Amino acid sequence: MSDPEIAILRQKIHGLSADDYATALRSRLPETEIAVAQTPSEERELLEQVPIATGFELSPDEVEAAPNLDLFACVYAGVGHLDLDAFEANGTAVTNASGVHGPNIAEYVIGSILSHVRGFRQAWRQQDRNEWRSYPAREFQGSTVTVVGLGSIGQAIVDRLDPFGVDTIGVRYTPEKGGPTDEVLGFDEIQDALARTDYLVLACPLTDETRGLIDSEAFLTLPSDAFMVNIARGGVVDTDALVAAMQANRISGAALDVTDPEPLPNDHPLWDIDTVSITPHNAGHTPNYYERTAEILATNVERYRQGETEYENQVV
């Protein structure tokens, strides 16, 4: 057996094993020697040898002990858990898995909105009581959807909104870049967007600028029949302000895949609000996760072999 070119670290991602990842990679790189670390000692040995490693995390000490590591392919879209300075000091490029979540998270958003529009939660409650009783519903067509964050996930959401005949507003750091929405505004104009919003979708990263972005003022600005979907990070929303807004009927409902704190304590008041649906950071789950991640890495392996120094999804 030749020396491995790629090491897959042991961490399990979204319930999928490293062996699943290896299968997806080998189908794309059949001539490549790919090793899966089964134990911590195997992981250390592989990191001393291979030019390419992939997984969720490497500590600064592990990076320093990997003198031959030219590329680390993180299997998460976010890299806030990594010490990027350590990789840079080691001369190791880092890529992320941005884009792999687009289809599944966009489906979560569309499903949450349509469930609210057509009153499915009310239907489910009545079904539990064997109760046949008509209830009012809304139409999605003609409404205004504001998507905060126009990265790969935000763009996937906007693409899937197109057939519904809605108006879209995008909010992003760099509005001059434009985007797929009907309007693109900067964060300094978000209050203007909120005042015209029927459905608010949060798809932005958690940064100093976005922490607590949706606060008491935002909930006062949104129309009282607005509905919010948060698939960003819990900290983008001021949780106390959200609870107060829901209890005062200042917005009509919310679908939360992320919360602050997370996990949400079982005695938290959000659990008891009928117009709030909560999922346990589950929107990103998909059986195709490693297939999409493998596609990104396979592209970058070819670039590496050709001597290129710029990679798809490169962050360092």
Side-chain angles (χ1 to χ4, degrees):
M1 180 181 293
S2 58
D3 291 337
E5 184 177 7
I6 301 173
I8 298 178
L9 308 186
R10 294 173 300 114
Q11 301 111 345
K12 183 178 287 188
I13 307 299
H14 292 320
L16 302 173
S17 72
D19 289 331
D20 297 326
Y21 192 10
T23 298
L25 272 177
R26 287 174 179 137
S27 70
R28 291 163 173 78
L29 300 167
E31 305 301 321
T32 302
E33 188 62 40
I34 299 169
V36 179
Q38 304 293 345
T39 65
S41 61
E42 283 186 15
E43 197 166 281
R44 287 192 295 270
E45 290 175 8
L46 284 169
L47 286 172
E48 290 176 359
Q49 305 171 41
V50 295
I52 300 170
T54 182
F56 169 58
E57 183 175 18
L58 281 182
S59 70
D61 288 342
E62 289 173 317
V63 175
E64 188 176 357
N68 300 311
L69 189 63
D70 294 321
L71 173 63
F72 176 67
C74 180
V75 295
Y76 270 17
V79 293
H81 61 290
L82 298 177
D83 186 335
L84 297 180
D85 291 338
F87 286 95
E88 190 169 13
N90 197 57
T92 302
V94 177
T95 60
N96 66 12
S98 177
V100 300
H101 290 302
N104 42 301
I105 292 184
E107 289 175 1
Y108 177 97
V109 170
I110 298 299
S112 297
I113 292 175
L114 293 180
S115 177
H116 177 75
V117 167
R118 301 310 304 171
F120 289 156
R121 284 175 64 84
Q122 177 67 27
W124 295 328
R125 285 194 292 268
Q126 291 182 192
Q127 183 174 345
D128 287 341
R129 300 191 296 264
N130 297 351
E131 179 182 341
W132 182 281
R133 179 169 57 86
S134 182
Y135 57 85
R138 306 165 70 176
E139 279 195 15
F140 192 29
Q141 181 175 268
S143 60
T144 297
V145 183
T146 293
V147 180
V148 181
L150 291 178
S152 58
I153 292 174
Q155 291 185 42
I157 293 166
V158 175
D159 288 345
R160 286 155 179 79
L161 287 170
D162 186 59
F164 289 97
V166 298
D167 296 321
T168 54
I169 303 172
V171 179
R172 68 185 309 174
Y173 290 110
T174 51
E176 63 273 10
K177 289 184 177 179
T181 49
D182 297 318
E183 296 178 62
V184 180
L185 305 178
F187 276 89
D188 58 338
E189 301 173 285
I190 192 169
Q191 294 298 321
D192 172 53
L194 294 178
R196 297 184 281 137
T197 296
D198 298 304
Y199 298 92
L200 173 63
V201 179
L202 304 176
C204 55
L206 180 61
T207 65
D208 290 342
E209 187 168 2
T210 62
R211 185 177 295 279
L213 179 71
I214 307 303
D215 55 10
S216 297
E217 182 178 359
F219 287 119
L220 288 170
T221 304
L222 283 164
S224 60
D225 60 352
F227 181 79
M228 181 182 77
V229 183
N230 188 5
I231 49 83
R233 288 293 183 267
V236 174
V237 177
D238 182 324
T239 302
D240 291 341
L242 171 61
V243 171
M246 297 304 305
Q247 291 174 338
N249 295 318
R250 288 202 292 271
I251 63 171
S252 66
L256 309 175
D257 189 54
V258 290
T259 59
D260 181 24
E262 189 174 303
L264 192 66
N266 59 15
D267 60 349
H268 198 280
L270 280 173
W271 289 112
D272 299 321
I273 300 175
D274 283 345
T275 50
V276 173
S277 65
I278 299 169
T279 49
H281 210 140
N282 214 61
H285 284 224
T286 169
N288 299 318
Y289 193 94
Y290 276 150
E291 290 292 331
R292 295 175 188 147
T293 308
E295 194 66 41
I296 296 170
L297 180 52
T299 297
N300 286 333
V301 168
E302 295 303 329
R303 292 184 183 183
Y304 176 79
R305 288 172 174 167
Q306 293 169 15
E308 297 183 29
T309 56
E310 294 186 2
Y311 304 104
E312 184 176 338
N313 286 11
Q314 186 168 349
V315 294
V316 169

